[in-house]
Amino acid sequence: MAIVKPSLAKGTRDFSPLEMERRNFIFNTLKRIFKKYGYSEIQTPSFENLSTLTGKYGDEGDQLIFKILNSGDYLSKVSDDVLGHKNSVKLIPQISEKALRYDLTVPFARYVVMHQNDITLPFKRFQIQPVWRADRPQRGRYREFYQCDVDVVGSESLLNEAEFILIYWEALRQLGLKDFTIKINNRKILTGIAEILGKPELIVDMTVAIDKLDKIGLDGVNKELLERGFSEADLEVLKPIVLLEGNSQEKLESLKTVLASSEKGLQGIEEIEAVFSYVAAFNVDEGVLGNDVAVDITLARGLNYYTGCIFEVKTNEVAMGSIGGGGRYDDLTGMFGLKNLTGVGVSFGADRIYDVLEELDLFPRTSISSSKVLIVNFDKNLEYYTIPLLASLRHEGIAVELYPIAAKLKKQMSYADAKQIPFVLLVGEEEVKSDVLTLKNMESGDQMKIELATLIEMMKG
């Protein structure tokens, strides 16, 4: 058999013990906050039926779904006509019935419909699992990455949107970030803008284009809008709206004038104002509304299912794309047969957050080893004396390991040092006779004589 050079698929990564410690720091922080706000955890399969996912993310999103080939001879049932034309749109449904999960929101909607008789509304859930996208890998963007979603369905209250702002703010602060912006917009405002242009049918084309303002600039957005059916006159109307200046309240006041003839647009403005009012009622730090939360009319989020408030979070401390986002979806479950069930949710981009915390050196100083104590292995006879000690310590819930062979002491000390195990327990002939152990602090180098009961008390303290 030929030797294959090991390599990773593009856009994927291995995680070392240190990286897992840091990733779990992020996940555990988020879980703790989600639970504090009344959310419970669920999980869904890594792959879904292709029909469950397609048509939910727009044309661009559909192209980024990883399809899974049917098992066996997947081409045997495909007609020569389809094969001959080499048309992937017609071919894919015949050779692929499953696909890797693109996000956690659509599987969540499917979950709600399938379990509608088992859940209590409003249903508040969080989910931390990997998703896959056939995107071009780059810094902060991977083909396999974790999403941390928190959603509530079955409640129209804008109190939910306000709490998501607080969840974002509290979570990012606890992770150590100090300068970030929680952007908010409303799809009803975007609908209103399309209405005053006289092109309500082009709302999706407009939102997809202006959502790219940060990436391609105003000229790029204008070019794309022209290609999507908008006129030069439309661009003149859009320009001052897209480039709105001032604080959040000033922007909303300007929009009230611009959208005076659009009932839908004014409703969107009222919803944002209601969310701000709820946030203020929590008496949180004034910076939440003053500096950390901002109305951004260019925020469109290209996904088709958002219908109300939409969110996006960016850090201002590191050059990085969004580290979170979400919004309200009034009838996401309708595509699965359960009509008129509103929901709202947000997502944390764990992988991008990791990169930000690493660049800013914000991770806590933690050991890469779960072990607190390493017991030195001097020889076979002493090994059998130390095993009961090992068992006693573990019985008390203390993470401890015995070096598996009687190697040189220097090698065992190097092992403890490399794994950042803070204490080493030396049990030689002298310790066996006196029934008093020797404990070495690996950081200070100090050694002390200690009895087992005292050691247990010390390690548990």
Side-chain angles (χ1 to χ4, degrees):
M1 181 181 293
I3 296 175
V4 178
K5 183 180 179 181
S7 63
L8 281 170
K10 286 184 179 179
T12 65
R13 296 152 297 161
D14 291 323
F15 298 115
S16 68
L18 176 60
E19 288 168 326
M20 285 307 303
E21 283 284 333
R22 291 175 169 180
R23 288 173 68 81
N24 285 330
F25 164 69
I26 295 172
F27 295 149
N28 292 336
T29 299
L30 296 181
K31 284 183 178 182
R32 184 172 64 250
I33 293 170
F34 294 162
K35 289 178 179 179
K36 191 170 81 170
Y37 280 78
Y39 290 81
S40 301
E41 186 172 16
I42 69 164
Q43 289 197 345
T44 59
S46 57
F47 60 91
E48 299 272 352
N49 291 322
L50 181 58
S51 58
T52 297
L53 303 179
T54 51
K56 315 302 190 299
Y57 309 106
D59 293 339
E60 291 184 19
D62 281 354
Q63 293 175 24
L64 300 181
I65 295 173
F66 270 111
K67 286 80 174 179
I68 300 172
L69 287 175
N70 295 339
S71 57
D73 187 0
Y74 53 85
L75 286 178
S76 62
K77 296 181 181 179
V78 180
S79 67
D80 292 338
D81 181 59
V82 172
L83 286 174
H85 283 83
K86 297 181 180 180
N87 187 323
S88 61
V89 175
K90 292 182 178 179
L91 179 62
I92 286 172
Q94 297 188 43
I95 64 173
S96 174
E97 297 173 356
K98 307 286 188 298
L100 291 177
R101 179 173 61 209
Y102 177 91
D103 73 350
L104 300 179
T105 306
V106 170
F108 171 54
R110 190 263 312 149
Y111 176 96
V112 169
V113 174
M114 292 186 67
H115 297 270
Q116 58 185 288
N117 297 323
D118 307 317
I119 61 178
T120 300
L121 296 178
F123 181 54
K124 304 175 75 172
R125 86 79 166 89
F126 73 87
Q127 195 171 345
I128 299 178
Q129 288 187 275
V131 299
W132 294 266
R133 296 184 185 179
D135 214 342
R136 184 172 65 87
Q138 54 185 285
R139 183 175 180 272
R141 179 175 292 176
Y142 307 98
R143 288 176 171 170
E144 178 186 64
F145 57 97
Y146 270 72
Q147 281 189 341
C148 307
D149 279 18
V150 54
D151 289 76
V152 54
V153 293
S155 172
E156 296 180 357
S157 174
L158 292 168
L159 176 61
N160 297 305
E161 276 87 339
E163 288 201 333
F164 283 135
I165 287 177
L166 299 179
I167 286 172
Y168 266 137
W169 188 82
E170 185 173 346
L172 296 178
R173 289 278 176 172
Q174 287 198 21
L175 289 170
L177 297 181
K178 296 181 178 63
D179 186 6
F180 53 84
T181 304
I182 304 169
K183 298 180 180 181
I184 183 172
N185 195 9
N186 195 295
R187 286 298 287 259
K188 293 183 177 72
I189 292 176
L190 296 168
T191 299
I193 295 171
E195 285 179 355
I196 66 169
L197 292 174
K199 292 185 170 70
E201 75 283 358
L202 294 181
I203 173 65
V204 172
D205 295 275
M206 185 187 77
T207 58
V208 167
I210 69 173
D211 196 32
K212 299 176 182 176
L213 183 68
D214 286 347
K215 298 177 183 176
I216 62 178
L218 184 60
D219 290 341
V221 170
N222 286 342
K223 180 182 177 183
E224 188 161 327
L225 286 169
L226 289 171
E227 292 171 352
R228 290 175 178 268
F230 290 86
S231 66
E232 291 285 355
D234 295 332
L235 301 189
E236 287 302 311
V237 175
L238 273 173
K239 183 177 179 180
I241 299 173
V242 171
L243 300 179
L244 267 182
E245 294 184 351
N247 61 34
S248 293
Q249 195 55 50
E250 289 168 345
K251 289 180 180 178
L252 293 176
E253 291 300 324
S254 297
L255 285 170
K256 287 178 184 178
T257 302
V258 173
L259 298 176
S261 62
S262 171
E263 183 180 345
K264 183 71 73 173
L266 292 176
Q267 185 184 350
I269 295 170
E270 289 175 7
E271 288 183 3
I272 291 181
E273 289 180 330
V275 171
F276 282 176
S277 178
Y278 275 127
V279 172
F282 278 94
N283 294 318
V284 292
D285 188 301
E286 289 183 5
V288 174
L289 282 179
N291 303 315
D292 300 332
V293 181
V295 171
D296 184 351
I297 300 307
T298 68
L299 173 58
R301 299 201 64 85
L303 303 181
N304 288 342
Y305 49 70
Y306 292 128
T307 56
C309 287
I310 46 181
F311 303 96
E312 186 170 272
V313 182
K314 288 199 171 185
T315 173
N316 302 316
E317 299 174 80
V318 172
M320 178 69 71
S322 65
I323 57 174
R328 179 168 287 275
Y329 37 86
D330 277 347
D331 194 26
L332 185 65
T333 56
M335 65 185 73
F336 299 120
L338 184 59
K339 297 289 185 181
N340 304 317
L341 187 64
T342 187
V344 59
V346 297
S347 177
F348 288 76
D351 295 280
R352 288 187 176 183
I353 290 173
Y354 182 102
D355 291 343
V356 170
L357 298 188
E358 185 173 50
E359 186 165 334
L360 296 174
D361 195 25
L362 292 176
F363 284 110
R365 297 287 180 260
T366 56
S367 169
I368 63 172
S369 174
S370 61
S371 297
K372 207 167 185 179
V373 181
L374 172 71
I375 301 178
V376 169
N377 191 332
F378 282 110
D379 59 44
K380 206 67 174 176
N381 291 330
L382 290 170
E383 183 179 79
Y384 278 94
Y385 177 85
T386 56
I387 286 175
L389 295 177
L390 178 74
S392 296
L393 289 165
R394 285 177 177 169
H395 180 73
E396 295 295 331
I398 299 164
V400 57
E401 57 184 288
L402 170 66
Y403 199 80
I405 59 172
K408 290 182 179 180
L409 182 59
K410 183 179 179 181
K411 184 175 182 179
Q412 297 187 54
M413 289 295 186
S414 296
Y415 174 82
D417 190 51
K419 290 191 66 177
Q420 298 178 17
I421 300 174
F423 296 98
V424 169
L425 194 63
L426 299 109
V427 186
E429 296 289 351
E430 182 183 332
E431 283 77 13
V432 171
K433 290 177 182 176
S434 64
D435 214 22
V436 177
L437 312 171
T438 301
L439 184 69
K440 180 173 182 177
N441 184 314
M442 291 297 289
E443 185 176 352
S444 66
D446 296 338
Q447 291 189 181
M448 62 183 293
K449 295 294 184 179
I450 191 168
E451 294 182 345
L452 179 60
T454 307
L455 174 64
I456 290 172
E457 186 177 336
M458 175 183 171
M459 293 298 118
K460 292 176 72 174

